[in-house]
Amino acid sequence: MSKFDALWKYVSETGTDYLKLSYAEIENIAGVPIDHSFLSYKKELTSYGYKVGKISMKAQTVEFIKEQ
């Protein structure tokens, strides 16, 4: 079980092709703050039919894109 499972489930349940969430929204959904370990965990999202797009440290946002 991943510490980001709640986030992956949330993203997949939106059913949208594209979703952008702020770091604060991700922390609220996942229950843990986003940190460098997120880069290691992001590959898990592919099993939910999505991938992580652009991660903006300046804007503090992460894009999620539905895989085709």
Side-chain angles (χ1 to χ4, degrees), residues 19-30:
L19 180 66
K20 183 188 273 188
L21 296 173
S22 70
Y23 287 8
E25 290 171 314
I26 290 170
E27 182 174 351
N28 187 44
I29 294 163

Side-chain angles (χ1 to χ4, degrees), residues 19-68:
L19 180 66
K20 183 188 273 188
L21 296 173
S22 70
Y23 287 8
E25 290 171 314
I26 290 170
E27 182 174 351
N28 187 44
I29 294 163
V32 294
I34 191 168
D35 56 22
H36 266 71
S37 72
F38 183 78
L39 298 174
S40 298
Y41 285 98
K42 72 179 188 174
K43 65 182 176 271
E44 298 173 344
L45 185 56
T46 59
S47 65
Y48 289 83
Y50 283 80
K51 64 182 179 180
V52 174
K54 182 179 179 185
I55 301 171
S56 174
M57 294 185 69
K58 183 177 181 179
Q60 295 194 336
T61 59
V62 178
E63 296 176 351
F64 300 93
I65 303 163
K66 190 171 191 175
E67 294 186 310
Q68 301 301 325

